[in-house]
Amino acid sequence: MNRRVVALAAALLLAPLLARAQDLSPPPKPPPDATAAPDASKFTLEDIGKRAEDVATQLRAMTEAIDDQAAFTALQDQVFSYSHRVSDRWKETDQVLAVSLRRGPLETLASSWRALRTELAALQLRVDTRAAKRAADLATLDRLQALWNWTLDHAGVVGAPAPVIDRAKDTLAAIDATRVQVAARNSRVLVLQDAVSRAMQACDDAGARIADARRDSVGRIFVQNVPAVWRQLAESRVRDTKPGLGAPTSGAIASIIDSVRIYTQAYRFNFAVSLALALLLAWTLYRMRRVLREAPGSRHETLPEFVVQVLRTPIAAAILLTLFITRPLRPDQPAALQQLLYAIGLPAALVVLRAVLDPRLVAPYFAISAFFFIDLARGALQQTPGIEQLVLIVEMAAAAGVSFWIAALLPVSVGALVEHSLWLRSVGHWVLRVSGFAALFASLAAVFGYVELADFVGGGALLLVYVAIGVLALRVAASGALWLLLVETPLERLHAIKDNHARLEAGITRLFEVVTIALWFVLVLERFELFAPVTAGVVAVLDARLQAGALNVSVGHVLGFFAVVFGAWLTSRIVVFALEEDAYPRMHLARGVPYALSTLVRYSLLLAGFFAALATLGLDLTRLTVLVSAFGLGLGFGMQQIINNFVSGLILLFERPVQVGDLVETTNLNGEVLRIGIRASRIRTSDGADVIVPNTDLIQNSVTNWTLSDRKRRVTLEIGVAYGTSAEQVIALLLSVAKSDARVLADPAPEALFTGFGATALAFQLRFWTEAPAWMQLKSDLGVALQHALRGARIGMPVTPVEIHLEADPEPE
């Protein structure tokens, strides 16, 4: 209590002196930071106690943060364990590169290094986070120390009481003690950070070395690996009893298992998501199948064939869809894991495609797929070079025979898959023939001892078929799933989907044909080690510069320009289609407003896409403004009529004196307005001619619009009857005939009028209103009906007499 009273009294007495000292010598401003201490210019003696308590709290938090010796020791052991694993993996890499340069072992080795680097990246993040925290703690301690040194100096200058000075000294001592602990922990963290960084660098170096070895392996495929078959048979023994060129070394299996374990552990959440997605898809397809089968009528029988096939095989379709959708969740997956997923996906593809194949193709289809599992077994088992050579000879010869077998059956085969994929019948035939010849060549190469060449060419040839099977099955599964999503869910309520089933089916088929062909092409390039060179070539072409005067753009920018323009055009079509099919029918808009809105949306999207495309070219839009201004000035003088028509078109869209579907009549033209364009409008006459009318004529000239306010039109039918007929009877008869036709409007009611006495007949008029577009046909029908009614009432229609005077020819002289 006494200590607080003394501190408070000293603070009250010395506060003015401290404020004056602060005015005379302001301290340097510390750098802004979220954890920075209070600014010294605002620090007063009465705040020393409170600030000291705040600093003590900060110091305790720092001390508690580094008081995790068990967790830090575990992290340290993990870092050193990974460092040892990297060292051991380097020894294994040296052994593999010394024994074999085959593509399979190198890919497995590269996968293990990628998996190890993935886990090291997660470990590095943890270490870097600790290092960043310790660095922030040290920066905070530096600021606190500078501030409290200044406080202690100024407290001595102004003669602060001893308790105040002691409090400042105690705070400085606590800061120094905490600094020692934080600095010691920071040093240990930096050691771990350096160790992880070295391990990451080792992974990168190993990856680069393996990549070099893979490039060298491509150049070694034309090297004879083992003696020819007849030489081995002549000697009656195998020359080399070492493990085969494609067989794993003693530590290879452990490294494969380790790489898969590391990868699955690093991406365990992604694998859990994939499993959940597969279960959800399978359950959804099962439920849809049950709902469609139990639906009234024959709805299940009217579904497209690819949809029915997906419903027949929900589990296989769910597996294929999951493997495709979740592919981005498995970046740089190990080769062993990739082969395992292929082994799961290929049987699913077999199940999906079996029902849509010609029965004659089923047997060779399963036979060609069996070679995939033979390849897996050949790569996994320990083999001598001679045994591997014999296996390759038999396998590739059999694969060639099966490929030629399928190629012969494909042109004459039937089935839903071939019937709905015309490209499969033409392109697939040649792909199978090429694969057959490649497999036959691989078999001969193995006979002559070129095992590496046989594996490279033959394995790649078979991959053409495997990937084709997989992407075809994926196409069936994805097309069916997308159809079900759009048609058998609440999305089907959209008019754009409900009213366009045929277009939707054709569009889905075309979309997935393009996707599957592109996917097949990419996988084939990767198998033949051509993906990287092709990608590099494409990038080089896109980076090529096109120079024309001051214009200097790359090919990629030019292609990007056209791609953005095409994307804007496609987007405008989709947006306008969605508006016209779903938005406008659900809204109460005046006639002509939907067309005007669609036109404005289309032009706005195209204009925005054009400017985005110009930005893609890398042009300076400020210079473009000057160009547009100059261009507009030129338009004002040289293209007045076009600009006038353009502005007139905008007036037609906004003011809507003439709308699409209106029946208009000008000085020399009458017909229906079919389109209001940006420069001219199109009118279709009753004779069937399409007339292009400039928009200016529809704005500046007199135009009769018969359907501007509504579709009602008054039609007049004139008739004459013989003298002596009752006028009241004729009027009643006219009204009766008019009201008997449903096309005649009751409001306004039809009128029958006696209009006068003619030379030979009593004149009457029938006036009626109608909304029927074919009003001339209605007038004709009423005239025919009126003739029958007059005849039935025995009312005569006068005939004007015609006098014919015949003059005799003069007598010839």
Side-chain angles (χ1 to χ4, degrees):
M1 181 68 181
N2 294 334
R3 214 180 260 184
R4 291 183 180 179
V5 173
V6 172
L8 180 59
L12 294 175
L13 292 174
L14 298 178
L17 296 177
L18 178 59
R20 184 177 180 183
Q22 291 173 343
D23 293 337
L24 293 177
S25 58
K29 295 182 180 180
D33 189 88
T35 59
D39 191 350
S41 62
K42 301 178 182 179
F43 207 78
T44 57
L45 283 179
E46 59 267 23
D47 293 333
I48 289 179
K50 183 178 181 303
R51 298 300 183 185
E53 292 178 1
D54 294 340
V55 171
T57 303
Q58 282 185 283
L59 298 180
R60 280 195 301 271
M62 291 182 187
T63 304
E64 292 173 357
I66 61 177
D67 190 19
D68 57 345
Q69 189 60 37
F72 185 81
T73 301
L75 178 63
Q76 187 176 19
D77 294 341
Q78 192 174 8
V79 170
F80 291 150
S81 173
Y82 273 103
S83 298
H84 290 304
R85 289 175 62 184
V86 168
S87 178
D88 295 339
R89 189 64 55 83
W90 259 111
K91 296 178 182 178
E92 178 188 334
T93 301
D94 292 336
Q95 294 175 2
V96 172
L97 295 180
V99 173
S100 174
L101 290 179
R102 294 284 295 276
R103 184 190 59 83
L106 291 178
E107 176 60 30
T108 301
L109 191 61
S111 300
S112 66
W113 277 108
R114 287 196 299 268
L116 184 58
R117 194 187 189 285
T118 300
E119 193 152 339
L120 279 172
L123 184 62
Q124 186 182 41
L125 180 62
R126 293 167 56 191
V127 175
D128 289 344
T129 301
R130 285 178 172 267
K133 289 180 179 179
R134 300 294 81 80
D137 290 345
L138 290 175
T140 301
L141 291 173
D142 289 339
R143 288 189 294 272
L144 291 175
Q145 188 176 37
L147 178 61
W148 282 92
N149 281 329
W150 177 90
T151 302
L152 182 61
D153 293 340
H154 283 71
V157 170
V158 298
V164 175
I165 296 177
D166 292 340
R167 187 65 181 274
K169 290 180 179 180
D170 293 341
T171 303
L172 282 171
I175 292 173
D176 291 337
T178 305
R179 176 190 296 279
V180 172
Q181 301 180 37
V182 173
R185 175 56 62 86
N186 185 57
S187 299
R188 298 177 64 184
V189 172
L190 292 178
V191 171
L192 298 182
Q193 195 175 31
D194 179 70
V196 175
S197 178
R198 289 176 181 272
M200 294 281 288
Q201 183 63 42
C203 292
D204 295 336
D205 294 341
R209 186 174 174 185
I210 296 172
D212 294 337
R214 292 186 65 174
R215 284 190 292 269
D216 295 338
S217 67
V218 176
R220 291 171 54 89
I221 61 175
F222 297 101
V223 177
Q224 187 180 27
N225 309 107
V226 295
V229 172
W230 56 83
R231 292 181 56 187
Q232 296 193 38
L233 293 176
E235 298 177 5
S236 301
R237 63 186 182 88
V238 179
R239 287 179 173 270
D240 194 356
T241 58
K242 294 186 298 182
L245 295 175
T249 60
S250 57
I253 296 179
S255 119
I256 291 173
I257 297 175
D258 189 44
S259 64
V260 174
R261 182 190 62 79
I262 293 174
Y263 189 87
T264 52
Q265 184 177 357
Y267 293 98
R268 55 184 177 273
F269 176 76
N270 295 0
F271 281 100
V273 171
S274 301
L275 179 60
L277 179 62
L279 296 175
L280 177 62
L281 287 174
W283 177 81
T284 303
L285 293 176
Y286 263 119
R287 182 176 178 82
M288 285 188 172
R289 182 175 68 177
R290 186 174 69 253
V291 170
L292 291 174
R293 285 181 175 177
E294 296 175 356
S298 57
R299 186 178 181 184
H300 186 271
E301 298 177 358
T302 60
L303 293 175
E305 182 63 28
F306 58 87
V307 179
V308 175
Q309 180 57 21
V310 169
L311 294 176
R312 288 174 183 168
T313 58
I315 296 179
I319 291 175
L320 289 175
L321 292 173
T322 302
L323 291 177
F324 177 71
I325 296 173
T326 61
R327 181 60 184 86
L329 300 179
R330 303 187 303 275
D332 293 330
Q333 56 189 357
L337 180 61
Q338 186 174 5
Q339 291 178 345
L340 176 61
L341 296 178
Y342 283 162
I344 296 174
L346 187 59
L350 299 177
V351 174
V352 170
L353 289 182
R354 179 173 182 176
V356 293
L357 284 176
D358 189 308
R360 291 173 293 181
L361 290 174
V362 174
Y365 169 68
F366 279 96
I368 197 69
S369 303
F371 290 108
F372 173 78
F373 299 97
I374 295 176
D375 284 338
L376 289 181
R378 180 167 56 85
L381 297 177
Q382 296 282 346
Q383 305 171 57
T384 63
I387 297 298
E388 184 180 11
Q389 181 185 21
L390 293 177
V391 171
L392 273 173
I393 294 172
V394 176
E395 177 189 357
M396 294 304 163
V402 175
S403 297
F404 290 132
W405 183 15
I406 301 177
L409 292 175
L410 191 60
V412 296
S413 64
V414 294
L417 182 64
V418 178
E419 291 177 355
H420 292 84
S421 301
L422 299 180
W423 65 272
L424 179 62
R425 190 187 295 273
S426 56
V427 178
H429 172 71
W430 290 104
V431 169
L432 287 167
R433 289 175 65 89
V434 169
S435 300
F437 282 114
L440 184 60
F441 172 80
S443 180
L444 294 176
V447 169
F448 285 92
Y450 294 89
V451 177
E452 179 71 18
L453 178 62
D455 182 63
F456 185 80
V457 176
L462 291 178
L463 184 74
L464 296 177
V465 182
Y466 303 151
V467 174
I469 292 173
V471 296
L472 285 175
L474 176 63
R475 177 199 155 193
V476 173
S479 300
L482 183 57
W483 173 272
L484 291 172
L485 175 65
L486 296 177
V487 177
E488 301 298 335
T489 62
L491 293 176
E492 201 267 343
R493 299 175 185 174
L494 299 176
H495 297 293
I497 296 175
K498 181 171 59 177
D499 300 335
N500 297 275
H501 281 185
R503 294 174 59 186
L504 189 64
E505 180 179 354
I508 291 175
T509 301
R510 288 194 299 268
L511 171 65
F512 283 104
E513 279 192 357
V514 173
V515 171
T516 51
I517 291 174
L519 181 61
W520 178 83
F521 188 69
V522 169
L523 293 175
V524 169
L525 288 180
E526 288 182 347
R527 175 58 178 81
F528 285 102
E529 305 288 344
L530 294 175
F531 185 77
V534 170
T535 304
V538 171
V539 171
V541 171
L542 295 179
D543 290 339
R545 312 295 297 184
L546 300 177
Q547 296 183 356
L551 181 64
N552 185 3
V553 295
S554 66
V555 176
H557 287 160
V558 175
L559 295 179
F561 173 84
F562 289 107
V564 173
V565 170
F566 175 76
W569 171 80
L570 185 61
T571 302
S572 66
R573 290 199 60 181
I574 294 175
V575 171
V576 171
F577 177 76
L579 289 175
E580 293 176 350
E581 292 290 332
D582 283 291
Y584 298 151
R586 305 175 193 274
M587 303 168 64
H588 300 285
L589 300 175
R591 193 172 59 88
V593 173
Y595 182 84
L597 290 177
S598 298
T599 304
L600 292 176
V601 168
R602 182 185 297 109
Y603 290 156
S604 299
L605 290 176
L606 291 177
L607 185 62
F610 177 73
F611 282 112
L614 290 179
T616 303
L617 282 177
L619 298 179
D620 188 357
L621 295 183
T622 57
R623 298 182 180 180
L624 185 64
T625 304
V626 179
L627 179 63
V628 170
S629 301
F631 185 65
L633 184 62
L635 288 177
F637 288 100
M639 305 178 69
Q640 296 182 16
Q641 192 62 33
I642 295 178
I643 296 300
N644 192 10
N645 285 322
F646 173 74
V647 175
S648 299
L650 294 179
I651 293 174
L652 290 175
L653 290 176
F654 282 102
E655 188 178 341
R656 304 197 307 279
V658 176
Q659 305 169 21
V660 173
D662 283 349
L663 299 176
V664 298
E665 182 176 348
T666 62
T667 305
N668 55 358
L669 179 68
N670 65 81
E672 180 183 1
V673 179
L674 297 183
R675 181 179 179 272
I676 300 176
I678 193 172
R679 185 195 64 84
S681 299
R682 183 156 58 96
I683 298 177
R684 187 173 183 85
T685 65
S686 57
D687 297 330
D690 288 348
V691 182
I692 309 301
V693 180
N695 292 331
T696 307
D697 294 348
L698 298 178
I699 293 296
Q700 296 180 353
N701 299 334
S702 176
V703 177
T704 301
N705 191 339
W706 290 95
T707 55
L708 176 60
S709 57
D710 52 43
R711 291 281 173 175
K712 296 179 181 179
R713 183 187 184 100
R714 197 187 75 171
V715 184
T716 301
L717 180 63
E718 296 183 355
I719 189 172
V721 299
Y723 274 95
T725 306
S726 172
E728 292 81 358
Q729 183 183 5
V730 174
I731 290 176
L733 192 62
L734 292 175
L735 292 176
S736 174
V737 169
K739 293 178 180 179
S740 64
D741 197 308
R743 292 171 292 179
V744 177
L745 296 179
D747 185 19
E751 295 179 317
L753 302 175
F754 174 66
T755 57
F757 300 93
T760 61
L762 301 176
F764 292 87
Q765 281 187 355
L766 175 61
R767 301 175 181 177
F768 58 89
W769 291 81
T770 182
E771 291 183 338
W775 61 272
M776 286 293 294
Q777 182 64 42
L778 174 60
K779 183 177 180 180
S780 173
D781 294 342
L782 288 180
V784 173
L786 187 58
Q787 181 190 19
H788 290 298
L790 291 173
R791 185 180 300 170
R794 300 183 180 275
I795 297 176
M797 302 181 68
V799 178
T800 303
V802 178
E803 295 183 1
I804 300 175
H805 300 277
L806 299 176
E807 296 182 358
D809 293 336
E811 292 292 335
E813 296 180 356

